[in-house]
Amino acid sequence: MNLAEFIDARREKHLTELKEFLRIPSVSAKSEHKPDVERAAKWVADNLRAAGFKSAEIIPTAMHPLVYAESLEAPGKPTILFYGHYDVQPAEPLDLWTSPAFEPEARNGNLYGRGTADDKGQVHIHLKALQALHESNGKFGINIKVLIEGEEEVGSVSLWDFVQKNKEKLKADALVVSDTSMLGKGVPSITYGLRGLNYYQIELTGPERDLHSGVYGGAVPNPLTVLAELFAKLHDNNFHITVPGFYEKVAKLSKAERKALNALPWNKKAFQTAVGAPGYCGEKGFSIVEQLWTRPTLELNGIWGGYIGEGAKTVIPSKAYAKFSTRLVPNQDPRKIAVQVEKHIRKLLPKTVKCKFEVLSTGKPWAAPFQAPIFKKAQTALEKGFGKKAVFIREGGSIPFVTQMYDTFKVPCVLIGFGLPDENAHAPDEHIYLENYFSGIKAIAHFYADLAIL
Ligand code: BES
Ligand code: MN
Ligand code: MN
């Protein structure tokens, strides 16, 4: 039996097992789910042992545990570090799920549930590929280190410290990650660029306390109005961000890269169907693909304050709040951007409000060459699994660990995504296309097997 047949014979078993993993509500953002996060870490460690690793460690951190396993029994063969995350985003709003978020259900060729695409399903692809190799050959054939974290969805806070203290342990010839998307159905993809992310929160205070809007309205500042005005000023009519210096360090795409990205089989119709907005906007002078992958953005993520309960309450609120973020591209420096953003906001705000400005997290952008031989091997493996040639893409999302590893070790980072852009990651009805999950296991098994052949 060849590797593909071996894997095909286990489709049902793999699916049953993945569902078990998905039933653990390992929501890293909520402290009430701490025991579930720990249960998920244990599930991963047990599964690594079942896959053929002699041991798997659960490493406690200040927040959520890391899971680590290694098999270094292939002298002379390459060492691969595989990274993924077992934590998931909160499932809310719960009433918008067709089937409950933590009761995985297969429907119309997809598996639905929180974490199916981001990232439990994709982590499981690697665990099952490794297991198939080990069971059919009695060994992995390469040196493999596996690091699965539980804080990716909250910014990988503990991971940076762990990387700094464990450089020797994590050292590898290449990093392999499956936590991204394919360009579209039937287009296997390798991602060579991600945007960075800075996340901010501001609190505006006007009057010292909430006020009766009839008694005081007309003579006192309303912080909610000030906040709305502020955000209206952060973009101009061409959707350029107005923060001085914001674009200063943005790397201009080479002619060749621009041409290659715009020639990809990217589907505008599919994009618009996935978004479902009545109209579209974006930075003038750039194609949508360029806007999504290669241009920085400033996005308002949440805004609150005042009265939002049932009925009417005539109030001038004392405070107004906003959460917002900037996606960054090479070679923007997250710290400098944070300073520029704060300075600009303080300059725009009238004297009528006080402002507390917080930077909740920063993360660097990443884009790297893909000429190393391992990329060719990844392409070949994807072709074996999917029957189609893989394309090289960039993406708009962020994975802090990839940048950290690339900066620390300067090794090739091979991002092989099995998600699809319309699979509702972070939203209700998250799902993974089952054929991608099954073909993914085959492709990754071929990839690791091929890396053993020098
Ligand atoms: N898997 C995503 C990142 C991603 C999504 C990369 C789609 C490429 C395409 C990851 O789990 C994620 O959601 N990252 C966060 C950042 C993190 C610091 C919270 C993001 O991009 O918002
Ligand atoms: Mn992810
Ligand atoms: Mn995510």
Side-chain angles (χ1 to χ4, degrees):
M1 196 170 11
N2 69 28
L3 200 49
E5 286 165 352
F6 186 93
I7 291 165
D8 273 336
R10 283 158 183 74
R11 279 169 78 114
E12 282 313 308
K13 196 167 176 279
H14 289 162
L15 193 55
T16 306
E17 201 183 283
L18 172 58
K19 285 184 183 166
E20 194 184 290
F21 189 19
L22 292 165
R23 274 190 209 104
I24 310 172
S26 46
V27 179
S28 49
K30 295 185 163 187
S31 48
E32 70 197 71
H33 283 295
K34 181 96 184 137
D36 301 314
V37 171
E38 276 163 20
R39 212 147 46 88
K42 187 171 177 301
W43 192 95
V44 172
D46 289 344
N47 209 266
L48 281 162
R49 282 184 217 103
F53 289 88
K54 290 207 179 83
S55 67
E57 298 173 70
I58 296 179
I59 305 167
T61 72
M63 207 194 295
H64 298 313
L66 295 160
V67 184
Y68 180 80
E70 63 181 25
S71 166
L72 305 174
E73 290 153 12
K77 303 289 184 184
T79 302
I80 299 299
L81 173 65
F82 167 63
Y83 160 85
H85 62 94
Y86 66 79
D87 65 321
V88 298
Q89 286 272 324
E92 286 80 4
L94 300 182
D95 54 321
L96 294 184
W97 286 80
T98 309
S99 53
F102 296 106
E103 292 171 30
E105 185 178 287
R107 292 196 303 274
N108 10 313
N110 299 317
L111 182 66
Y112 288 81
R114 176 56 88 230
T116 43
D118 187 11
D119 180 32
K120 285 173 168 171
Q122 300 206 53
V123 165
H124 199 245
I125 285 174
H126 285 256
L127 301 184
K128 294 311 103 180
L130 286 166
Q131 183 165 3
L133 280 178
H134 201 272
E135 282 179 8
S136 46
N137 305 326
K139 56 181 186 193
F140 294 125
I142 51 169
N143 300 299
I144 177 110
K145 302 178 174 183
V146 177
L147 178 68
I148 313 293
E149 71 153 315
E151 292 178 19
E152 199 279 340
E153 298 294 6
V154 288
S156 302
V157 201
S158 307
L159 195 57
W160 178 236
D161 189 47
F162 182 78
V163 172
Q164 292 312 306
K165 290 185 180 139
N166 293 277
K167 285 194 183 157
E168 211 35 57
K169 187 176 186 137
L170 297 178
K171 209 167 159 213
D173 298 308
L175 172 70
V176 172
V177 179
S178 287
D179 191 23
T180 49
S181 300
M182 293 168 40
L183 187 66
K185 232 178 212 177
V187 192
S189 311
I190 300 167
T191 300
Y192 69 90
L194 295 167
R195 288 194 286 195
L197 177 70
N198 277 5
Y199 208 99
Y200 318 87
Q201 180 166 330
I202 57 174
E203 177 191 297
L204 300 186
T205 311
E208 219 168 44
R209 59 190 73 85
D210 283 6
L211 300 171
H212 188 296
S213 68
V215 177
Y216 291 99
V220 298
N222 184 322
L224 276 175
T225 311
V226 173
L227 191 66
E229 278 166 0
L230 170 69
F231 278 95
K233 285 177 190 152
L234 292 180
H235 290 92
D236 68 15
N237 291 339
N238 294 325
F239 283 95
H240 276 97
I241 294 150
T242 56
V243 176
F246 190 80
Y247 293 96
E248 208 171 87
K249 293 280 191 283
V250 171
K252 199 168 177 281
L253 285 191
S254 71
K255 264 205 179 119
E257 187 178 10
R258 196 168 196 185
K259 202 171 146 206
L261 291 181
N262 286 306
L264 285 167
W266 183 82
N267 188 320
K268 188 171 173 182
K269 273 242 152 58
F271 164 78
Q272 292 186 333
T273 310
V275 176
Y280 292 83
C281 66
E283 193 185 354
K284 204 174 166 184
F286 297 92
S287 70
I288 301 178
V289 161
E290 288 166 7
Q291 288 168 356
L292 296 172
W293 301 346
T294 74
R295 298 297 296 168
T297 61
L298 186 151
E299 214 70 68
L300 189 49
N301 302 113
I303 188 163
W304 73 103
Y307 184 68
I308 52 167
E310 198 181 343
K313 182 188 182 198
T314 46
V315 65
I316 298 172
S318 165
K319 289 181 190 292
Y321 301 85
K323 285 181 187 283
F324 67 105
S325 53
T326 47
R327 293 277 168 181
L328 307 174
V329 300
N331 300 310
Q332 288 179 297
D333 175 345
R335 289 182 194 282
K336 286 203 183 121
I337 294 292
V339 172
Q340 288 169 341
V341 169
E342 176 170 5
K343 201 171 152 197
H344 186 53
I345 284 183
R346 291 205 183 275
K347 209 174 131 205
L348 288 179
L349 284 172
K351 296 267 176 299
T352 51
V353 294
K354 276 188 298 193
C355 172
K356 183 172 152 201
F357 185 100
E358 281 177 283
V359 181
L360 301 187
S361 66
T362 62
K364 285 166 86 177
W366 170 77
F370 47 92
Q371 271 71 46
I374 190 168
F375 290 100
K376 199 89 237 132
K377 292 204 177 223
Q379 221 175 4
T380 309
L382 282 167
E383 198 165 344
K384 281 190 192 161
F386 287 80
K388 294 249 179 68
K389 203 170 156 65
V391 296
F392 286 91
I393 64 171
R394 284 169 67 159
E395 283 187 275
S398 311
I399 309 174
F401 184 69
V402 172
T403 322
Q404 290 170 8
M405 285 303 290
Y406 188 73
D407 285 354
T408 310
F409 297 106
K410 284 282 175 295
V411 291
C413 298
V414 190
L415 274 57
I416 308 175
F418 297 108
L420 289 170
D422 63 354
E423 285 181 336
N424 299 334
H426 296 200
D429 279 352
E430 178 182 349
H431 57 278
I432 191 165
Y433 180 44
L434 279 167
E435 277 320 304
N436 285 352
Y437 166 72
F438 292 125
S439 302
I441 300 176
K442 284 189 256 186
I444 293 298
H446 285 304
F447 180 46
Y448 289 142
D450 197 25
L451 286 171
I453 305 165
L454 289 176

